[in-house]
Amino acid sequence: MGSANVTTLPTAGRLPDLSRVPAVDEVGVNERVARFQSRSIKAKAKIDGLKLTLAMIDLTTLEGQDTPGKVRQLCQKAIHLHDSMPGLPHVAAVCVYPTMVSVAKESLKGHDINIASVATAFPSGMSSLDIKLNDTRIAVEAGANEIDMVISRGAFLAGDYQHVFDEIVAVKEACGDAHLKVILETGELGTLDRVRRASELAMHAGADFIKTSTGKIQPAATMQVTLTMLQAIRDYYYETGRMVGMKPAGGISSAKLALHYLVMLQETLGNAWMTPEWFRFGASSLANDVLMQLKKQETGVYQSPDYFSKD
Amino acid sequence: MSRLSVAKTYKIYIGGKFPRTESGRYFPLHDGQGHVIANICRGSRKDFRNAVVAARKAQPGWAGASAYLRGQIIYRIAEMLEGRREQFIAELKQQGLTASAAEKEVDAAIDRLIYYAGWADKYQQVFSAVNPVSSSHFNFSVLEPTGVVGVLAPDDTSLLGLVSNVAPCIVGGNTCVVLASESKPLCAVSFAEVLHSSDVPAGVVNILTGYREELTGQFASHMDVNAIVYCDGSKKVATAIQTAAADNIKRVVSRVNTDWAKDKAQDPYLIKQTQEVKTTWHPIGS
C-alpha cells in the first residue's frame, strides 16, 4: 500500500456523482462476512490479535449521566488496562462528550492517549450548522484531537447530498489539526447501497475516518456495513491515493467478534490499515473481554469479570 | 404397515436452548446387552464456558425473584415430571433398572422437588439470626445465594441424584451448570425438557453430558464459578478439585457416599451449603 502522508485531496470540495457509486451485492456481502467468521485464529496469532485490538480501542462513555468522576475513572482504565499483566498496549483514545474533554485532558496528562470528542449535535445531528461548528470548536479548544461528527441523516435520506457534503467540509475546517471521524449512523440508512454512497460522500468531503454508528441506534456496527465501508475505502484509495481510516462502533463487545473484524480488515484493506492509526473500535465493554481472553491464554483458565476493573 | 420408530436425539441444555455440543463429538451409550441406546453429546470445555455465561446472566434475575415464586416454579417442575412419569421409568429401565426400582426412583425424584419447593420460603427464617453484640448495633445475619454453582451429579443414579443436587441449589437463588451422570445420562437430558416446560427461566439450570475426567478440571478452575458440588471420586480427584477451586476461593461442597434414595438425603442444610451468610451491623441510638 502507498504512503500514509498523502494529504492533498484531488477532488476536495466537489461532491462526487453518487449515482455512479457501484451497487452493493448484499448476498455477496453476507457470504463474505460468513467466511471471515470461519477463520481459525489460535495461539500466538490470537494473542497478537487481542493485543492489537486493545491498542485500537476508543474507550467510550457517551451517557447523559456522565460525571467528571466517571470520565476520570474511564481515563484511569485507559492508562491502566490491567497492571498485573505487563506488556499490554494502552488504548488508542478515550471518547467523551465535549463538556468532558477538559476533564479527560487533565486525567490523561503525560500519556500518549488521544482524546476524541463527539460533536455536531451528537447523536441526532438535528441542529443548525452554526451550532454544529461551535460544538466542534468548543471540543477542539478544550483539547480534543479527534472529532467524531454525525452526518445529517434526514438530509441524506431526502437526497440533499450537497447539504450533507457541505456540512462535512465545514466541520473539517473547524477541526483544524484535529482528526475528523464521520459517523454515518448506518442503522438509520437502511440499505447497504446507502451506506456505500454515504461513505463515498464523507470521504470526498475530507473525512479522515468513517465510522458506522453513534451507539445510540440499533442496529449499530455490523460486519456487513463495516465490510461495505471498507470496500468503499479501498476503492477510494485506488482512485485518489489517500488512505481513510475505519471505525466500527457500538455492539462489538466480545474479543471473538473483534478478531473477526480484524480478519475482515486484513483481507479487505491489507496490513497497511492494521494499526490504530487507521482502524479503531468504538467500544466500552470490549476491553475487559479482550483482557479476560488474554488472561485465559496466559493461565489456561476461564476468567471472571469480578477480577477486572470496571471501565 | 409397521412404522419406523423415531429415535430421540439427546442434546445438551444451555441458556434455555438445546444445542448439540459445539465440538461435534459423541459417545455411544449401550444397554446391558451391548446394544446402542443413543448417541450422547460429549460436551467440551467450550460448551461449559457457554453454560457458565448463560448461568451468570440468569443469576441476578433468579436471585431477585421472590422466594414464593421460586417455590412455585420448583413445584411446577415436580408437576411436569409427574406428567412424564412413564417416559422416565422407561428410560431408567433402558439404563438397566428393574421396573420397580425405576418407579421408585422417579417417585422419589418428584417428592424431592416438592420437598425443596416447600423450603423455598422457609429456609431463610430458619437459618437467619439476630445476633447479640456488645455495642450499640442491631446485628443480623441473612443468607444470600453463592452465585453460579457447578454441580457434578452423582454417576450411579440417572435422575434422582441429579434432582437431589439441583433442587437445593436453585431453591436458594443460585444458578447452576450440571454435568450429568456419565454412565446413565439419558434422564438428565429428558429432565432438561421438563425444566424447559416449567417456567424455569433460561440459564438457571444448564445441563451438559460428557466425560467426567475431561470436564471436572474445568468445573473446578473456572474463575466465574462460585461453588462446586461433587458426589463421586477418589481422594485424588477431591484433592484436584479443591486445589483448582482455591484459585478463586470457590465454595467446595462434597457429597460423596450419599445414598440419594434415602429420606435423609434431603435436608435444608443442603440449601445452606450453597449460600453465603451476610451479617449487617446497623447502628442504633446509644
Side-chain angles (χ1 to χ4, degrees):
Chain A
M1 287 292 171
S3 154
N5 300 321
V6 183
T7 47
T8 49
L9 307 180
T11 52
R14 192 160 56 80
L15 176 68
D17 180 3
L18 292 181
S19 67
R20 295 183 59 190
V21 169
V24 179
D25 169 9
E26 203 160 330
V27 175
V29 167
N30 283 332
E31 278 183 14
R32 192 87 183 99
V33 163
R35 285 266 190 104
F36 296 134
Q37 288 172 313
S38 67
R39 304 280 188 267
S40 177
I41 299 171
K42 304 280 184 209
K44 171 98 170 45
K46 183 171 182 181
I47 293 172
D48 289 348
L50 291 171
K51 285 187 176 169
L52 182 58
T53 302
L54 283 181
M56 288 173 164
I57 288 177
D58 280 5
L59 205 59
T60 303
T61 182
L62 295 170
E63 304 289 339
Q65 60 188 354
D66 284 348
T67 59
K70 170 79 208 290
V71 172
R72 278 185 215 111
Q73 186 185 337
L74 186 84
C75 294
Q76 281 302 304
K77 178 74 178 176
I79 300 164
H80 305 281
L81 277 172
H82 197 64
D83 285 352
S84 73
M85 293 172 72
L88 288 181
H90 59 68
V91 299
V94 295
C95 182
V96 294
Y97 270 118
T99 49
M100 291 297 164
V101 168
S102 56
V103 178
K105 189 174 166 128
E106 177 70 27
S107 306
L108 294 173
K109 201 178 273 175
H111 294 276
D112 181 26
I113 297 175
N114 290 313
I115 299 168
S117 172
V118 295
T120 70
F122 180 93
S124 70
M126 288 296 198
S127 195
S128 69
L129 183 60
D130 278 351
I131 288 178
K132 290 181 181 183
L133 295 179
N134 259 333
D135 202 11
T136 307
R137 287 187 201 107
I138 288 168
V140 172
E141 277 162 25
N145 43 17
E146 300 180 358
I147 295 294
D148 290 24
M149 74 168 284
V150 289
I151 64 167
S152 298
R153 280 88 74 191
F156 182 84
L157 291 171
D160 194 354
Y161 300 136
Q162 190 67 50
H163 175 83
V164 180
F165 184 88
D166 292 345
E167 267 191 351
I168 299 173
V169 171
V171 173
K172 170 75 184 163
E173 197 188 326
C175 282
D177 291 335
H179 268 233
L180 177 65
K181 305 189 200 118
V182 178
I183 302 172
L184 309 182
E185 194 61 301
T186 53
E188 289 186 336
L189 297 184
T191 65
L192 293 181
D193 281 333
R194 290 200 198 107
V195 170
R196 172 81 197 217
R197 250 177 273 151
S199 304
E200 305 247 350
L201 184 153
M203 289 186 290
H204 279 96
D208 297 303
F209 262 71
I210 51 177
K211 174 176 168 182
T212 59
S213 323
T214 60
K216 303 293 181 195
I217 296 286
Q218 291 301 326
T222 64
M223 290 189 71
Q224 282 80 358
V225 298
T226 307
L227 177 61
T228 304
M229 291 164 75
L230 289 173
Q231 287 171 339
I233 290 172
R234 181 189 57 200
D235 292 350
Y236 178 79
Y237 174 77
Y238 285 147
E239 188 188 327
T240 68
R242 185 171 81 97
M243 285 172 79
V244 174
M246 173 71 207
K247 178 177 172 184
I252 305 166
S253 55
S254 81
K256 193 174 184 180
L257 184 56
L259 289 178
H260 292 325
Y261 272 86
L262 289 185
V263 169
M264 178 160 69
L265 174 66
Q266 209 277 337
E267 294 185 20
T268 311
L269 292 179
N271 287 335
W273 266 267
M274 297 281 285
T275 76
E277 196 189 347
W278 297 109
F279 193 82
R280 298 282 179 82
F281 290 105
S284 49
S285 52
L286 174 62
N288 267 0
D289 196 64
V290 173
L291 290 169
M292 276 164 47
Q293 289 303 317
L294 280 167
K295 194 81 178 171
K296 157 77 173 60
Q297 294 295 316
E298 183 189 307
T299 62
V301 172
Y302 288 119
Q303 297 297 309
S304 163
D306 290 354
Y307 305 97
F308 293 83
S309 64
K310 292 206 174 105
D311 44 31
Chain B
M1 202 175 99
S2 66
R3 64 182 283 275
L4 283 173
S5 61
V6 178
K8 174 168 162 178
T9 308
Y10 285 86
K11 299 195 279 188
I12 54 180
Y13 186 52
I14 298 176
K17 291 200 163 65
F18 291 91
R20 292 176 167 83
T21 167
E22 64 78 37
S23 66
R25 303 174 308 175
Y26 292 86
F27 63 95
L29 184 71
H30 298 97
D31 64 10
Q33 283 80 50
H35 301 123
V36 173
I37 307 171
N39 285 317
I40 302 296
C41 286
R42 188 181 151 196
S44 68
R45 61 189 170 89
K46 286 191 182 170
D47 293 321
F48 173 65
R49 175 196 62 186
N50 294 343
V52 172
V53 170
R56 174 59 65 198
K57 198 170 153 215
Q59 206 272 326
W62 180 242
S66 72
Y68 174 76
L69 180 61
R70 288 203 300 268
Q72 290 281 297
I73 288 175
I74 292 169
Y75 194 94
R76 179 86 178 152
I77 304 173
E79 287 176 8
M80 293 293 112
L81 190 53
E82 177 86 27
R84 293 171 71 161
R85 230 173 137 260
E86 299 309 319
Q87 179 195 352
F88 279 89
I89 290 170
E91 276 180 353
L92 286 171
K93 282 177 12 195
Q94 264 191 309
Q95 294 171 106
L97 264 67
T98 64
S100 68
E103 270 183 47
K104 230 171 121 182
E105 176 162 349
V106 175
D107 289 347
I110 297 166
D111 294 350
R112 194 136 295 170
L113 286 162
I114 302 287
Y115 175 88
Y116 283 109
W119 270 107
D121 53 3
K122 299 175 188 70
Y123 73 88
Q124 185 72 261
Q125 53 267 48
V126 171
F127 292 121
S128 298
V130 173
N131 313 309
V133 289
S134 60
S135 60
S136 51
H137 290 91
F138 175 45
N139 183 290
F140 56 97
S141 302
V142 294
L143 296 185
E144 286 189 344
T146 300
V148 173
V149 180
V151 177
L152 303 166
D155 195 55
D156 55 349
T157 83
S158 187
L159 178 66
L160 182 58
L162 182 130
V163 168
S164 301
N165 283 286
V166 168
C169 169
I170 62 172
V171 73
N174 297 291
T175 55
C176 61
V177 180
V178 188
L179 181 58
S181 164
E182 182 179 319
S183 62
K184 300 188 176 87
L186 289 192
C187 292
V189 182
S190 299
F191 185 65
E193 293 157 13
V194 168
L195 293 167
H196 198 64
S197 54
S198 308
D199 303 325
V200 179
V204 170
V205 182
N206 306 276
I207 299 179
L208 307 178
T209 53
Y211 290 171
R212 198 54 63 101
E213 198 186 335
E214 181 184 349
L215 290 171
T216 297
Q218 298 293 329
F219 272 67
S221 66
H222 197 307
M223 296 291 278
D224 209 24
V225 172
N226 305 110
I228 179 166
V229 175
Y230 66 98
C231 306
D232 300 297
S234 61
K235 204 168 167 195
K236 206 174 136 199
V237 171
T239 307
I241 290 175
Q242 289 169 23
T243 307
D247 262 354
N248 69 334
I249 328 174
K250 270 183 205 68
R251 186 164 287 283
V252 179
V253 179
S254 165
R255 293 177 185 156
V256 178
N257 295 328
T258 308
D259 182 352
W260 297 103
K262 293 260 168 59
D263 269 355
K264 65 177 183 187
Q266 55 187 22
D267 195 313
Y269 279 94
L270 264 59
I271 304 174
K272 191 169 181 254
Q273 281 176 336
T274 48
Q275 297 285 310
E276 306 298 323
V277 179
K278 181 174 83 178
T279 296
T280 304
W281 295 71
H282 187 80
I284 51 175
S286 60

